[in-house]
Amino acid sequence: MPGIAAGNKTVRYLPRFALACLAAVFTAGAFGYDLPDAGGSPHINFEADRADYNRAADSIKLSGHVKLKEVGRPDELPGRELFGEEFTVYPSSTVAVSSGGVLVKEGENAFYGEDGVFDWAVKSATLNYVSASYGAWRVMDSEMMSLSSGTEQKYRKVRITSCNLKDPHYYIKLNRLSVIPGRRVYGTGAVLYIDNVPVFYMPVFYKPLGTENPYVTYVAMGYDKRSGGSLKTTTVYKFNPRFTGKLFLDYFTNLGIGTGSELGYKDPARFNGSVAGYYIRENGTANKRWGLTGGYWWKLRDTLSGGEPDGELYYSQAQFRLVSDPYFNNDFFRSNPYAVSPDANASAAVVRQTRKTLLRVSYIKQETMSGDEFVKTYEARPRLDFNTAPFQALKLPVLNTVTASYESAQTQTTGYYLSKANARWNVDKSFYAAGWSMVPSVFYDETVLLSPYAADFQSRQSDQRIGRIGGSFSLRHNIFWGGTADLKQTFVRRFSTNTFTRDALADDRGSEMNQLSYSNFFRPSRDTYLIFSSSYDFRDLRSGARDFTDRISPFVLNFAYTPRPELTVFFNDTYAIGDGNQAFSFQADCGKVEGNRMGLGLSNYKNDPSSYIVNHTFNWFPQGRSWGVQAGLGYNIRMRGFEAESLSLYSKELTVYKTFHDFNTVWNVRLRPGVQAFNFNINLRFNTVKSRIVSEREAQRFWYPWRDQGPGATGPADANPAVQANPF
């Protein structure tokens, strides 16, 4: 039974015949004692400076610092509190009407309106001209608000913003809005206004209000010469802490509509994987362009890690990078590590592993770029691989390893699916003496072609067996400066088909390998290393005599210097005797990976020896400032001797980040052959996360998402390295 109070004195509701007496008492304003509490059942407590009871109208008029408090809600939610200057309460109908302004508090949320009608029996209410607050969000100028018996609050013709200024920089105008405090905001017919100018329409607007943010949409606008203007959206939904999905919906003025999605699941103990796909049919053409990429690892059964002697582990894994044409990523996802795909591939496998053996059943497909298309170079369906861990046999002091495989595969050479089996038995033994380590090994290998076609592809032949025998001798010695010297002789002899005699009629006379290789590894300090390697081929070929320069392989030199995390220098050079320098590259990076940084790269290749390719990158984010810059230049210097003959820029990229009161903005310009693009992205700042710069190594993970959740949201192609949240 509800209660009422005047001043600081609480009065409990009594039957109608007693309310007349209470009205006289209220009119006199004379209270000399505190009345008992209204009890534990659901009720309403009233407080006011003055209360007047009208028996004929069955109403109590409360005025002056009025407070109405809901107590004992059966749904155990916090009771609503109403504050105003004038209310009329109708006890028999459990209705209260406010005249003028009223403030309603509901837990941590609050809203203000005028001329409200509240019915506690059905827990509903309506107000006009409402302003409300839900966490970072403000609701303004609603024509009407209604409260249901649950927790949902509905608005009509309303504006909403998260800008904390009295006159907000931006707001979203909606026809209808539904709010469940602490959970979500949902509306229809949403138009984004910036400084009272409409800039973007959304048929549906959604935003979570809890600590978790499972649903968010990113929007980026841009232009490039090929696609025209673009509006790209990435909608991210977090199904649970392990499972995330993305939906891509893009519009290009020249090309039409592109759609795609991405799913990712991460459970390190059981399943890790992601898959992303995109499709567009370009306007005015028959081009159906698409891309599909991803991979997974899935543990099916595991008794091996439990320590059982005969335990086994079953798992499945796959990876795929498939595109309709080599230039798909360059046109739509330019920051993808494979901007121009030289190949496309897919594989899937089921593996059984024990302490002694491993068995793998797989499917493999590989395609290579040929002009503007892909040509299949290899496809195995299926392939079986088996190998053992090193083991001893007959108590001999050597280690044995057995590997075997079977495949039904098609290649460019065969043109049909050829069944082939292979087995190899390897024996080796390690020796250590006086700082030297020696590992001699021998093996026998046999390949069987099962019923191959004849050269005319018209008839089958009998099985063909091809054997190989060989071995190697490895010698390693620790040398000065904390390094090692490695010398290895490798020999492989091939037998002619179905015999154990040397294949002497072949060009290599049956000697597939007779090579001495040498490498030095120097590590004078923890932050410096140098590697030098080369090899010498002893084989004589029927096709012609070979001199020293034909036999010795190019010298390869690698040098790295990292005195501290903020400075890295890397150098690589390949030099062939008699043919000159083959390739040269240099890269130096200075600064923090996730901050101010500068990089300089230089490379030169034998196919164009007078051309030197220079790449210069620059990141600058002034401390305490609201802006930052990332820039990249690629230019070609042509040399004539030691003089520069010409200089030409082939790649220019500039990205500017600027943070305003309510917005994170990103401007990106990218110019290179075949690409002239401009992208602009604006992110509202509520629910933002800390910006970070993604290192190149991280960005090149093979299933790194195509479209990052950061500014641009157009894919690794157009996504900028700073990762920031966006409400749209």
Side-chain angles (χ1 to χ4, degrees):
M1 186 179 294
I4 59 176
N8 294 322
K9 309 296 189 289
T10 301
V11 179
R12 183 171 178 172
Y13 264 172
L14 298 176
R16 290 190 182 187
F17 71 87
L19 289 176
C21 299
L22 289 174
V25 175
F26 290 153
T27 303
F31 288 91
Y33 57 90
D34 290 335
L35 296 180
D37 184 74
S41 60
H43 59 277
I44 304 299
N45 285 346
F46 304 153
E47 295 181 12
D49 293 341
R50 181 180 179 85
D52 296 294
Y53 175 66
N54 186 327
R55 181 174 183 179
D58 186 25
S59 65
I60 303 173
K61 184 177 181 180
L62 306 174
S63 57
H65 301 92
V66 180
K67 176 182 178 182
L68 286 71
K69 184 175 182 180
E70 191 177 19
V71 180
R73 286 182 60 160
D75 55 14
E76 299 182 355
L77 293 174
R80 295 186 181 119
E81 295 181 280
L82 282 64
F83 302 86
E85 288 300 314
E86 188 172 301
F87 276 86
T88 301
V89 180
Y90 298 90
S92 60
S93 60
T94 65
V95 171
V97 179
S98 68
S99 299
V102 57
L103 174 67
V104 181
K105 292 183 63 178
E106 201 172 48
E108 296 181 354
N109 304 306
F111 47 89
Y112 178 85
E114 296 182 9
D115 304 330
V117 178
F118 305 87
D119 189 338
W120 276 279
V122 295
K123 293 185 172 49
S124 66
T126 59
L127 291 93
N128 295 317
Y129 311 110
V130 176
S131 296
S133 174
Y134 302 97
W137 289 96
R138 275 195 300 140
V139 173
M140 306 176 296
D141 306 330
S142 172
E143 287 189 2
M144 188 181 76
M145 172 191 181
S146 62
L147 305 175
S148 64
S149 58
T151 58
E152 186 177 18
Q153 302 170 5
K154 297 181 179 179
Y155 295 86
R156 189 177 70 188
K157 299 295 183 182
V158 63
R159 295 190 303 158
I160 186 170
T161 185
S162 63
C163 178
N164 57 13
L165 297 181
K166 181 179 179 181
D167 295 319
H169 291 128
Y170 74 92
Y171 60 86
I172 302 164
K173 193 172 183 179
L174 303 104
N175 292 328
R176 296 186 181 276
L177 178 69
S178 168
V179 180
I180 299 179
R183 289 179 55 188
R184 55 97 174 136
V185 175
Y186 172 81
T188 58
V191 179
L192 172 65
Y193 286 76
I194 298 178
D195 283 339
N196 296 318
V197 177
V199 296
F200 187 71
Y201 171 77
M202 297 168 290
V204 174
F205 174 79
Y206 178 94
K207 190 68 182 175
L209 294 176
T211 55
E212 291 293 326
N213 193 353
Y215 180 103
V216 65
T217 300
Y218 305 91
V219 173
M221 295 171 284
Y223 171 84
D224 70 68
K225 187 175 181 179
R226 180 181 183 277
S227 304
S230 64
L231 179 66
K232 303 180 182 182
T233 68
T234 300
T235 300
V236 183
Y237 187 81
K238 190 174 182 180
F239 297 96
N240 57 51
R242 294 177 177 173
F243 187 26
T244 303
K246 298 180 184 179
L247 178 66
F248 311 137
L249 180 60
D250 305 335
Y251 173 71
F252 305 93
T253 57
N254 292 349
L255 304 179
I257 296 175
T259 59
S261 64
E262 180 179 312
L263 295 173
Y265 190 90
K266 185 176 182 180
D267 178 3
R270 186 77 179 181
F271 184 95
N272 280 338
S274 72
V275 56
Y278 191 85
Y279 172 84
I280 183 171
R281 180 171 183 174
E282 298 182 353
N283 286 341
T285 71
N287 293 342
K288 297 179 180 179
R289 307 188 67 187
W290 55 268
L292 185 68
T293 186
Y296 74 84
W297 176 87
W298 181 13
K299 183 167 67 175
L300 305 173
R301 182 172 181 264
D302 184 11
T303 59
L304 187 63
S305 60
E308 298 181 18
D310 56 350
E312 55 187 7
L313 168 65
Y314 286 88
Y315 62 90
S316 175
Q317 59 186 157
Q319 72 85 24
F320 44 91
R321 191 180 76 251
L322 305 171
V323 288
S324 58
D325 58 87
Y327 303 100
F328 172 82
N329 288 336
N330 187 60
D331 291 338
F332 298 101
F333 300 96
R334 295 189 183 106
S335 292
N336 190 290
Y338 305 95
V340 176
S341 298
D343 59 7
N345 60 74
S347 65
V350 176
V351 181
R352 177 185 182 269
Q353 181 180 345
T354 68
R355 298 186 186 281
K356 296 181 179 180
T357 64
L358 185 142
L359 176 64
R360 177 186 178 93
V361 182
S362 60
Y363 165 82
I364 304 171
K365 182 179 181 180
Q366 297 174 350
E367 296 180 339
T368 301
M369 182 173 67
S370 177
D372 294 337
E373 298 178 341
F374 286 111
V375 175
K376 182 167 64 176
T377 56
Y378 177 81
E379 184 177 28
R381 52 179 193 184
R383 178 180 172 90
L384 282 72
D385 290 276
F386 172 83
N387 64 272
T388 68
F391 65 93
Q392 282 187 299
L394 303 177
K395 297 184 179 180
L396 296 175
V398 295
L399 292 177
N400 301 268
T401 305
V402 175
T403 62
S405 67
Y406 167 84
E407 67 178 17
S408 176
Q410 183 186 52
T411 66
Q412 283 183 297
T413 303
T414 61
Y416 65 95
Y417 286 92
L418 172 65
S419 295
K420 181 172 64 174
N422 174 267
R424 172 180 287 211
W425 176 28
N426 188 88
V427 180
D428 62 68
K429 173 66 176 177
S430 299
F431 299 93
Y432 302 92
W436 293 83
S437 64
M438 295 165 282
V439 183
S441 69
V442 294
F443 72 86
Y444 177 75
D445 178 285
E446 185 164 296
T447 300
V448 180
L449 308 181
L450 304 175
S451 300
Y453 274 103
D456 57 6
F457 293 99
Q458 300 299 316
S459 61
R460 293 276 191 175
Q461 299 177 328
S462 59
D463 296 349
Q464 296 181 4
R465 174 176 53 83
I466 302 174
R468 293 172 176 82
I469 190 170
S472 65
F473 183 82
S474 300
L475 185 65
R476 168 172 287 188
H477 182 62
N478 295 329
I479 59 175
F480 59 92
W481 287 356
T484 58
D486 290 272
L487 190 67
K488 184 176 182 178
Q489 173 68 43
T490 306
F491 177 80
V492 178
R493 173 163 292 178
R494 184 182 65 255
F495 298 133
S496 60
T497 304
N498 296 328
T499 72
F500 286 102
T501 61
R502 178 178 177 179
D503 189 8
L505 298 180
D507 184 54
D508 60 4
R509 295 184 170 88
S511 295
E512 287 194 353
M513 182 175 289
N514 186 3
Q515 178 179 282
L516 178 67
S517 59
Y518 177 79
S519 66
N520 273 130
F521 174 76
F522 298 101
R523 188 107 194 193
S525 64
R526 186 172 59 180
D527 50 31
T528 306
Y529 74 81
L530 185 145
I531 301 174
F532 169 79
S533 62
S534 185
S535 64
Y536 186 84
D537 190 349
F538 289 97
R539 296 180 303 161
D540 292 318
L541 304 180
R542 288 184 174 275
S543 56
R546 307 174 70 197
D547 57 20
F548 178 79
T549 58
D550 295 326
R551 295 177 181 274
I552 193 165
S553 66
F555 297 101
V556 179
L557 178 67
N558 292 301
F559 172 79
Y561 178 59
T562 310
R564 55 185 183 274
E566 294 80 15
L567 178 60
T568 301
V569 178
F570 177 79
F571 170 85
N572 171 272
D573 189 65
T574 303
Y575 180 84
I577 296 178
D579 197 24
N581 217 61
Q582 305 296 298
F584 164 85
S585 62
F586 169 85
Q587 180 67 39
D589 294 288
C590 180
K592 296 181 179 179
V593 174
E594 299 186 1
N596 298 332
R597 190 172 180 86
M598 183 170 64
L600 179 64
L602 175 66
S603 58
N604 173 263
Y605 302 95
K606 184 182 184 307
N607 60 347
D608 193 358
S610 64
S611 173
Y612 290 82
I613 301 172
V614 181
N615 288 285
H616 186 202
T617 59
F618 178 78
N619 298 345
W620 187 30
F621 295 88
Q623 188 174 5
R625 299 297 183 90
S626 61
W627 60 274
V629 174
Q630 287 182 274
L633 288 176
Y635 38 95
N636 189 313
I637 303 176
R638 290 204 163 272
M639 303 292 294
R640 183 186 295 273
F642 292 99
E643 296 182 1
E645 186 177 40
S646 65
L647 172 67
S648 61
L649 284 170
Y650 69 87
S651 176
K652 300 175 282 291
E653 184 168 357
L654 176 66
T655 304
V656 179
Y657 303 88
K658 172 62 178 176
T659 299
F660 296 93
H661 177 260
D662 296 290
F663 309 105
N664 293 315
T665 59
V666 181
W667 291 266
N668 175 261
V669 179
R670 180 184 288 114
L671 303 173
R672 67 172 186 246
V675 176
Q676 297 181 23
F678 168 75
N679 290 282
F680 169 71
N681 179 242
I682 180 170
N683 294 337
L684 304 185
R685 292 186 63 198
F686 50 79
N687 286 354
T688 57
V689 295
K690 183 180 179 181
S691 300
R692 67 187 183 95
I693 303 301
V694 180
S695 67
E696 183 178 356
R697 180 176 299 176
E698 178 181 352
Q700 290 184 353
R701 294 175 180 172
F702 84 94
W703 65 34
Y704 188 77
W706 277 357
R707 308 214 313 185
D708 201 355
Q709 299 177 15
T714 57
D718 299 300
N720 293 286
V723 177
Q724 301 166 337
N726 189 326
F728 301 112

